[in-house]
Amino acid sequence: MRHLEDYEDAISRCFHCQICQAACPVYLQDLLETYCARARLGLVQAVFLEQTLNVTPRLREVMDRCLFCTRCTRHCPAGVPLDDVFALARENLGKQLGEQGRDGGAWTAPDAGVPGPVAGPLKSGLGEIPAVKGPVRARVAYYPGCATSRLFQDTGQAVLRVMSENGVQVMIPEGLSCCGFPAYVAGDLHTFRRAMQENLSILSGLDVDAILVDCASCGMAFKVKAGEVAKGDGAMEDQAARVAEKTWEATDYLNHLGPVAEPGAVAGVWTYHAPCRIGWTPTAEEAPEALLQDIPGAQYEALETTGACCGAGDLFHLRHGELSRSIRTKRLKEIRRNGAHTVVTQCPFCRYYLQQGGSDLEVMHPLAFLARAYGEMREA
Amino acid sequence: MSGLARDLTALLDSGKVLTDPEDCHAYACDAVYYFARRAPEAVVLPETPQEISGILRYASDQKIPVTPRGAGTGLSAGCTPVQGGIVLDMKRMNRVLEINRGNMTARVESGAVLGPFQQQVEAMGLFYPPDPQSQEVSTIGGNVSTRAGGPRGVKYGTTAHYVLGLEVVLPDGEMIRTGGTCVKQSVGYDLTHLMTGAEGTLGVITKVNLRLLPLPPAHRTAVIVCETLDQAAMLVSEIIAEGTIPARLEYVTSGAVQLMNATLTPPLSTDGEAYLFTELDGSPAQVEEDTQRLRSVCDRLEAMELRIIGDEREAETYWRARRNLAPTLLRLFKKMIVEDVTVPRDRIPDFVRALQSISASLGLIIGIGGHAGDGNIHPSIMFPEINDDLEAKAKEAVRRIVRTGLEMGGTISGEHGIGLHKAEFLVWELGEAQIALLKRIKKAFDPRGIMNPGKIWQEGGEA
């Protein structure tokens, strides 16, 4: 496990260029510099490394008012790992204030219908895995996260269906649990590490071509953050590296492999909302357009800004309702201006939250849209 | 609640007044963070000129320093509240009030962010050229206050060339409007351009009238790989002497290109010592003609490679890499001091040679990467580590660079402003008599000395 002190060098790379102002949905809403990543980083440095400022309720407020969208990290020209620093800062804050990590730490499933972390082993509930059509082109393991297992089984069923149509044999390993990303976000790094250890021990032993996720956050956990919390533990580092190498977002994977099934017609205008946390893979943002543009009758309209947040941020929207709603309103305005009825996105939180704010829209995973095109074709 | 907080919340909503140490800490510096830091006692987020007027009246009365601030991207410690007091964060006054196609002008609040404004203008077929590399976040008020420029300076000048009129709140709370929206103005002292570049020491700019141009229909980006720094410097003068003024003409060294290659596809070859990034713009015929001329100059001076970037999206990756260059360098170095000395264009080869000799004699890494086309090549001293020896050498290097630039008929700041970072050299450029005059002007505007005290010249001059 790493500590804030290990990041001292990385923190000192901040040029104070302020370009992070353009990336932070919270700053862009509040227009208060305290909330931009550069200022947060300065606070972490002053409070935890230089001890020139104290832990106060205002500090807690500032560090909590962050969606953990990780856009600042992606945007930073100097490559400061801002999200890792902020996760550790939350951990330190929790310890100093004698709190348990929030959200993820307690593993409390939110109200029915709201996506969130689930305690205990994941029960996929996706039914039988359909047989592969045609020759087997690849063998993959599918990690259906908490949201797909508990709430959005349609996403999981679509992933299974689409893969089988394209010659991809899917297995869902037994004994998987929540990827732990919500705990990471809450600064409960021990819980995250424990969850990761369990999952890695299962996933790293599989003889498969790829490990698929349908959720940007689960993907980030396996691809990037597992390696970060594994540091210092050689065996876990190896497992994390093996899993990271094989981790793909499902849309991205199919686009990479090249689809072979011919989609049938689906009428309507659709658009793509890129989840904030998709940055771990450079191609996942291009995959939906590449895969879905050939669906007869479906018209793609790109959104003006590719980099806008929906405001959800896991369970952030439950604690910061007003702020989240303001961020969402801007995004929905843009979607409606664009004229799309269907919004595809690779994040269950985006899906849930945009859908809540837009009953006139339908929000789904890109492969659910593709499955619909297949479905109509097969049933016709 | 402190007395200051109580007084300020009597003047405006409590949500617009921040006095917690966490908030004040966020406003303690700009992008020369290593040089001067001082948290203010209060941060105020005004939304109207009237609110600002009230704050300034109060601050004048109480003799409390007030430092206006845009996005905090400055490179001269210009918006650092070195004497504490109140920081006026202007970013909530960010509306674009009017874009007038017929008159080719725009009217904006001073907290409007440059990048989105430019996009809005360009969508209408119009063009606002000034492009400080912080354009994604920097505010137009900050640009005006520092006469900010960027790569396009070579052809289009800097912010100062586009300001037609201002709305200003004076330190006693009085509001004035200077200039207007006419491209010709000849009425009394030009207060518009006195406030422009005043770095917030004379008053608070609340609205800006800007001149716009028609958007050039064609653009072409090219990269020239040069065997030596000297060859690149010669190419700069020759390209322009041949009659082509590129929209941008940037000087980049091979070390920087190695970093930039992380985001360039295909990467540039790294066997050159220097690179010129350039953009030609104008009518399609003009761009074609300029491209041919560029080819012939490159052939004649035997440049290693001329790469024409055909695709606009690909071209943008080069300009983005260029924009992000300064912060990207901190992946390799612990610190960098960016200088802004600018020389007349025909002295660029001499200046580059002088920089190389300063760098060699002091054993320092001095990066050269800037707006070569207008002589503003930003010599930057790089610190592989931070220690007293390097700091002392860097200090000496800065003095030599500044003196050399001035001897060549240059200036100590092309586009960053003086702030605090360059104040010690002001006297070298302006002399005592001129500084005394500046101080008298300052006193006429700000008799109580509350506006951004401690800036431009060293010590003294405030009331």
Side-chain angles (χ1 to χ4, degrees):
Chain A
M1 284 286 274
R2 304 186 79 185
H3 303 281
L4 265 182
E5 291 71 20
D6 301 322
Y7 287 86
E8 244 169 306
D9 256 10
I11 291 172
S12 70
R13 285 207 299 267
C14 173
F15 187 82
H16 290 54
C17 67
Q18 303 273 15
I19 295 298
C20 46
Q21 286 178 16
C24 176
V26 175
Y27 166 77
L28 289 172
Q29 190 59 41
D30 289 336
L31 294 178
L32 176 64
E33 261 183 64
T34 318
Y35 295 132
C36 83
R38 191 272 310 161
R40 293 175 192 274
L41 191 73
L43 277 178
V44 172
Q45 201 173 16
V47 174
F48 296 112
L49 297 175
E50 295 165 355
Q51 274 101 31
T52 50
L53 285 178
N54 300 320
V55 171
T56 63
R58 177 65 183 143
L59 179 73
R60 166 105 254 176
E61 212 171 87
V62 173
M63 296 314 291
D64 274 356
R65 204 171 172 83
C66 162
L67 287 146
F68 244 87
C69 69
T70 70
R71 284 191 182 279
C72 51
T73 307
R74 217 175 148 183
H75 214 71
C76 175
V80 180
L82 292 147
D83 53 353
D84 291 328
V85 173
F86 297 154
L88 282 164
R90 285 182 174 184
E91 183 184 49
N92 282 21
L93 254 177
K95 278 183 191 155
Q96 292 202 18
L97 295 171
E99 295 170 4
Q100 284 295 309
R102 297 190 173 184
D103 299 345
W107 257 198
T108 42
D111 298 346
V114 182
V118 175
L122 291 179
K123 291 191 183 56
S124 89
L126 300 180
E128 215 163 290
I129 297 175
V132 175
K133 307 257 170 74
V136 173
R137 303 166 68 209
R139 289 182 174 77
V140 304
Y142 174 36
Y143 173 85
C146 299
T148 295
S149 303
R150 187 171 68 94
L151 203 60
F152 296 139
Q153 279 109 345
D154 57 317
T155 298
Q157 283 152 358
V159 170
L160 296 176
R161 171 78 201 282
V162 166
M163 292 301 157
S164 78
E165 295 280 348
N166 286 285
V168 180
Q169 193 168 67
V170 182
M171 56 92 68
I172 301 178
E174 291 287 321
L176 295 172
S177 57
C178 173
C179 70
F181 199 79
Y184 165 81
V185 166
D188 183 357
L189 296 184
H190 282 281
T191 302
F192 173 54
R193 193 166 185 276
R194 211 170 48 238
M196 212 19 106
Q197 259 168 335
E198 286 170 24
N199 287 317
L200 289 180
S201 69
I202 298 168
L203 293 172
S204 64
L206 301 173
D207 179 23
V208 290
D209 299 315
I211 297 165
L212 305 189
V213 298
D214 59 41
C215 161
S217 303
C218 298
M220 181 174 270
F222 288 120
K223 191 92 183 174
V224 190
K225 300 308 175 197
E228 202 59 31
V229 288
K231 279 190 177 140
D233 174 344
M236 191 179 172
E237 278 184 59
D238 285 348
Q239 289 185 338
R242 249 177 294 155
V243 170
E245 195 193 345
K246 289 186 179 175
T247 301
W248 285 83
E249 194 285 314
T251 323
D252 195 23
Y253 183 70
L254 183 58
N255 187 44
H256 164 75
L257 194 67
V260 289
E262 288 287 326
V266 178
V269 181
W270 68 277
T271 194
Y272 172 53
H273 166 80
C276 295
R277 291 180 191 150
I278 202 74
W280 52 274
T281 158
T283 46
E285 283 179 272
E286 295 150 24
E289 185 185 350
L291 266 187
L292 306 182
Q293 66 179 358
D294 294 332
I295 298 176
Q299 184 194 336
Y300 173 61
E301 288 293 340
L303 290 170
E304 276 166 47
T305 47
T306 49
C309 177
C310 74
D314 313 283
L315 302 181
F316 180 90
H317 63 96
L318 296 177
R319 290 195 316 274
H320 300 89
E322 197 183 334
L323 172 62
S324 287
R325 279 192 299 276
S326 309
I327 296 170
R328 180 175 66 187
T329 300
K330 282 195 281 192
R331 192 54 166 166
L332 284 172
K333 220 186 241 174
E334 199 183 332
I335 292 171
R336 293 196 175 107
R337 217 171 31 237
N338 152 294
H341 170 67
T342 304
V343 182
V344 304
T345 186
Q346 300 121 314
C347 168
F349 300 108
C350 297
R351 170 184 174 175
Y352 165 79
Y353 200 58
L354 286 174
Q355 189 70 74
Q356 286 292 307
S359 53
D360 52 328
L361 305 168
E362 56 167 4
V363 191
M364 59 175 76
H365 190 273
L367 293 187
F369 196 63
L370 189 58
R372 180 184 288 177
Y374 290 160
E376 284 172 14
M377 179 187 66
R378 300 290 149 163
E379 283 149 25
Chain B
M1 203 190 293
S2 75
L4 181 62
R6 198 178 46 240
D7 291 351
L8 288 170
T9 47
L11 291 168
L12 64 182
D13 288 355
S14 60
K16 298 176 183 174
V17 178
L18 299 152
T19 51
D20 281 325
E22 290 81 1
D23 294 295
C24 292
H25 189 264
Y27 289 82
C29 64
D30 66 4
V32 275
Y33 59 96
Y34 52 82
F35 173 70
R37 295 183 81 108
R38 163 84 194 255
E41 273 76 49
V43 177
V44 172
L45 309 160
E47 289 176 23
T48 65
Q50 289 71 25
E51 287 177 342
I52 294 173
S53 174
I55 295 159
L56 293 192
R57 254 199 310 273
Y58 162 76
S60 274
D61 188 49
Q62 302 288 318
K63 272 194 124 186
I64 298 169
V66 177
T67 305
R69 178 180 178 99
T73 58
L75 287 161
S76 68
C79 67
T80 303
V82 286
Q83 296 182 16
I86 299 166
V87 163
L88 271 187
D89 181 343
M90 300 298 291
K91 291 191 285 297
R92 289 191 178 178
M93 292 175 65
N94 58 4
R95 289 176 302 165
V96 174
L97 301 167
E98 188 192 16
I99 298 174
N100 184 329
R101 228 189 133 89
N103 199 41
M104 289 226 175
T105 50
R107 183 167 174 75
V108 301
E109 289 186 322
S110 57
V113 176
L114 177 59
F117 168 69
Q118 285 173 317
Q119 283 169 12
Q120 201 179 334
V121 162
E122 286 172 27
M124 296 172 69
L126 299 168
F127 187 34
Y128 177 69
D131 58 344
Q133 300 294 268
S134 55
Q135 70 202 98
E136 213 178 337
V137 296
S138 67
T139 66
I140 291 173
N143 298 164
V144 170
S145 296
T146 54
R147 283 170 281 201
R152 290 194 189 118
V154 55
K155 182 169 183 176
Y156 294 104
T158 66
T159 304
H161 300 101
Y162 295 84
V163 182
L164 293 173
L166 298 171
E167 180 187 271
V168 177
V169 184
L170 295 172
D172 62 1
E174 191 81 37
M175 275 161 59
I176 58 167
R177 287 189 175 177
T178 72
T181 54
C182 296
V183 290
K184 285 181 163 182
Q185 299 176 18
S186 182
V187 181
Y189 297 145
D190 187 352
L191 295 183
T192 304
H193 288 94
L194 180 58
M195 294 302 304
T196 299
E199 302 184 22
T201 61
L202 301 181
V204 179
I205 297 172
T206 48
K207 292 193 184 74
V208 186
N209 298 342
L210 296 166
R211 190 162 69 95
L212 304 175
L213 301 177
L215 183 67
H219 298 82
R220 184 168 293 156
T221 292
V223 178
I224 307 165
V225 185
C226 306
E227 206 171 335
T228 60
L229 278 166
D230 206 46
Q231 185 187 39
M234 295 300 293
L235 270 161
V236 170
S237 334
E238 282 301 302
I239 290 167
I240 295 170
E242 285 282 315
T244 297
I245 300 189
R248 307 187 242 195
L249 184 52
E250 297 285 296
Y251 209 122
V252 183
T253 49
S254 63
V257 161
Q258 281 175 31
L259 275 174
M260 292 160 93
N261 266 342
T263 57
L264 297 179
T265 333
L268 285 163
S269 73
T270 49
D271 44 2
E273 192 179 41
Y275 296 72
L276 294 172
F277 283 36
T278 186
E279 182 191 52
L280 306 168
D281 71 354
S283 68
Q286 179 73 55
V287 167
E288 203 43 58
E289 197 182 303
D290 285 341
T291 308
Q292 292 316 320
R293 216 176 292 159
L294 188 66
R295 269 189 214 289
S296 83
V297 176
C298 286
D299 282 348
R300 184 157 56 79
L301 272 73
E302 295 175 346
M304 294 173 77
E305 186 192 337
L306 170 65
R307 183 190 284 193
I308 308 277
I309 319 293
D311 181 62
E312 281 214 15
R313 266 170 69 177
E314 193 190 332
E316 179 49 29
T317 61
Y318 287 81
W319 294 113
R320 172 172 287 275
R322 168 62 192 94
R323 252 198 317 278
N324 286 339
L325 178 58
T328 307
L329 284 164
L330 287 200
R331 288 175 187 256
L332 286 190
F333 296 99
K334 298 268 190 253
K335 169 180 165 180
M336 63 190 277
I337 297 177
V338 184
E339 276 306 321
D340 192 30
V341 175
T342 304
V343 297
R345 186 186 294 136
D346 60 350
R347 300 304 302 273
I348 292 172
D350 297 335
F351 191 47
V352 168
R353 279 176 217 130
L355 290 173
Q356 284 177 306
S357 112
I358 293 169
S359 148
S361 70
L362 291 170
L364 287 176
I365 305 170
I366 301 184
I368 297 169
H371 321 311
D374 53 29
N376 185 203
I377 57 176
H378 295 311
S380 301
I381 300 160
M382 318 303 296
F383 289 69
E385 56 201 301
I386 298 176
N387 59 47
D388 292 345
D389 178 48
L390 273 180
E391 296 282 3
K393 283 180 176 161
K395 214 171 159 132
E396 176 56 25
V398 168
R399 295 175 74 83
R400 290 192 201 175
I401 292 167
V402 169
R403 198 170 283 292
T404 307
L406 287 173
E407 279 165 10
M408 291 183 181
T411 177
I412 62 175
S413 178
E415 58 184 16
H416 295 169
I418 300 302
L420 197 65
H421 200 228
K422 297 171 184 72
E424 66 171 302
F425 303 118
L426 192 78
V427 65
W428 292 6
E429 179 158 346
L430 299 185
E432 298 289 359
Q434 220 181 138
I435 293 176
L437 180 58
L438 292 191
K439 289 180 179 175
R440 292 206 295 278
I441 293 171
K442 160 84 176 169
K443 195 143 194 161
F445 274 78
D446 182 18
R448 306 276 287 170
I450 60 161
M451 291 308 306
N452 198 7
K455 302 299 169 59
I456 304 188
W457 46 77
Q458 277 189 316
E459 289 167 39
E462 284 79 43

